[in-house]
Amino acid sequence: MKYDRIYNFSAGPATMPVEVLEEIAAEVLNYKGSGMGVMEMSHRSKVFQTIVDEAEADLRELMGIPDNYKVLFIQGGATLEFAMIPMNLMKNGVADYIVTGNWSKKAYSEAKKYGKINLIATSEDRNYSYIPDVSDLPISEDADYVYICENETIHGTTYSKLPNTKGKPLVSDQSSMFLSRPCNVADYGVIYGGVQKNIGPAGLAIVIIREDLIRSDLDPKVPTYCRFDTHADNGSMYNTPNCWAIYVCGKVFKYLKKIGGLEEMERMNIEKAKVLYDFLDSSKLFYGTVDKADRSVMNVPFITGDKEKDAAVVAASKAAGFENLKGHKSVGGLRASIYNAMPKEGVEALVNFLKEYEANN
């Protein structure tokens, strides 16, 4: 069946695989003969428990998650984790942060409410257009963890190599790169991400945390919901979870397994990103804002160098049927978020539009 769908380059909530959307649509009124949709069923039912269990099992298989890591489905999105991480992980009251863009900066600011937070590296000097050298950082001896945002959605940078944390647990916000490529989970203490970019609908964060980092000796003032042990001890169902988002994420996990897993997804992502970056590197009107070595495969910011021209391109792109290409105000210009579900054809169509625009202007 053909659908009247646009190419949606939103940074999130973002486009989803049509195949998954079709499955969901077919089950909205009656999920597998239960006589009701997932939005209507009890989270305590056997049917929904099966949905949660399958989602976790499929995610573990996709990422190769070791047995000594817990998978938690937590409401509040990635922003809640900015506070939950320091509240739960700081024993010594010290943590080291690397700030490479808007989201790591927000996490850094939030963490400062809970202890001594050291800024050990930043790329703010060039408006976060690169990833600083992280091979030999001044890691604090008493740091409880080292924090990064591994892919900055707004500024379009990503780490090609993880920082040398000198034995300290690494905490990574992977929101805008989650499941876009293989990941060695054992390299991290905590991986988390909001699901509304690469996996599902907004309102849910997935947290993958090493079991030894889940503490029960927290300050009693930490809200019950903001404790990782609360979620770990209750199978992510201490209260009513975001049932719909978990269900949709589970569908996407199965879809990723079906197409060949994260290795195939990475191949597809690199291939389609190359189409856009090759154009930007040859264009006389447009250019990318990020150092080539640190370019994100997921989020591609680019500009003309003239704000009025940028605005004109955005307006023309919308008129041509391309949505959400306006860049964030901190970078300006345009930004194409080309997550897992964006087909290569969408990127090719965008490049053809940009080529034609450049030829006529």
Side-chain angles (χ1 to χ4, degrees), residues 21-32 34 36-38 40 244 247 251:
L21 294 174
E22 288 176 333
E23 287 185 23
I24 292 168
E27 295 176 346
V28 166
L29 292 176
N30 189 346
Y31 176 76
K32 294 188 176 181
S34 65
M36 56 186 158
V38 174
E40 305 168 284
W244 179 252
Y247 158 73
K251 290 285 189 186

Side-chain angles (χ1 to χ4, degrees), residues 11 78-79 81-82 85 96-109 119-123 128 130-132 134 137 145-163 165 169-178 181 188 190-194 196-197 294-296 298-299 335 339:
T79 298
E81 300 310 314
F82 295 169
I85 294 296
D96 290 347
Y97 276 60
I98 302 170
V99 174
T100 53
N102 185 73
W103 296 110
S104 49
K105 186 176 182 179
K106 284 191 173 185
Y108 168 68
S109 297
L119 179 62
I120 58 172
T122 182
S123 53
Y128 306 116
Y130 70 101
I131 298 294
V134 293
L137 296 165
Y145 62 90
V146 177
Y147 182 99
I148 63 172
C149 178
E150 201 164 338
N151 188 96
E152 287 282 359
T153 316
I154 289 173
H155 293 87
T157 57
T158 197
Y159 284 73
S160 57
K161 291 184 179 180
L162 294 177
T165 65
L170 176 64
V171 177
S172 176
D173 175 357
Q174 288 193 359
S175 294
S176 55
M177 61 174 288
F178 216 167
R181 66 189 190 195
Y188 305 81
V190 181
I191 296 169
Y192 76 86
Q196 71 274 14
K197 301 172 186 296
D294 303 318
R295 285 171 165 174
S296 169
M298 297 280 95
N299 311 100
R335 174 182 50 175
Y339 298 125

Side-chain angles (χ1 to χ4, degrees), residues 225-344:
Y225 190 83
C226 291
R227 298 173 60 111
F228 286 134
D229 61 340
T230 295
H231 299 279
D233 292 345
N234 291 279
S236 296
M237 284 196 276
Y238 170 75
N239 67 334
T240 307
N242 189 331
C243 300
W244 179 252
I246 294 171
Y247 158 73
V248 176
C249 289
K251 290 285 189 186
V252 172
F253 300 156
K254 290 186 184 300
Y255 167 79
L256 288 171
K257 287 172 61 179
K258 178 181 176 182
I259 67 169
L262 301 189
E263 291 79 7
E264 176 62 12
M265 195 70 255
E266 180 182 38
R267 185 196 67 76
M268 294 167 64
N269 284 330
I270 291 173
E271 185 179 82
K272 70 188 179 191
K274 186 177 186 298
V275 173
L276 182 50
Y277 281 124
D278 282 352
F279 164 72
L280 293 175
D281 290 342
S282 63
S283 173
K284 294 181 180 179
L285 177 61
F286 303 100
Y287 59 93
T289 60
V290 175
D291 288 5
K292 288 186 178 181
D294 303 318
R295 285 171 165 174
S296 169
V297 174
M298 297 280 95
N299 311 100
V300 184
F302 56 100
I303 59 176
T304 66
D306 182 291
K307 291 184 179 180
E308 291 186 1
K309 286 183 180 179
D310 288 344
V313 178
V314 171
S317 70
K318 187 175 180 65
F322 301 98
E323 286 289 338
N324 298 305
L325 280 166
K326 184 178 180 180
H328 190 269
K329 60 184 179 181
S330 61
V331 179
L334 298 92
R335 174 182 50 175
S337 291
I338 50 176
Y339 298 125
N340 286 359
M342 172 59 66
K344 184 181 178 182

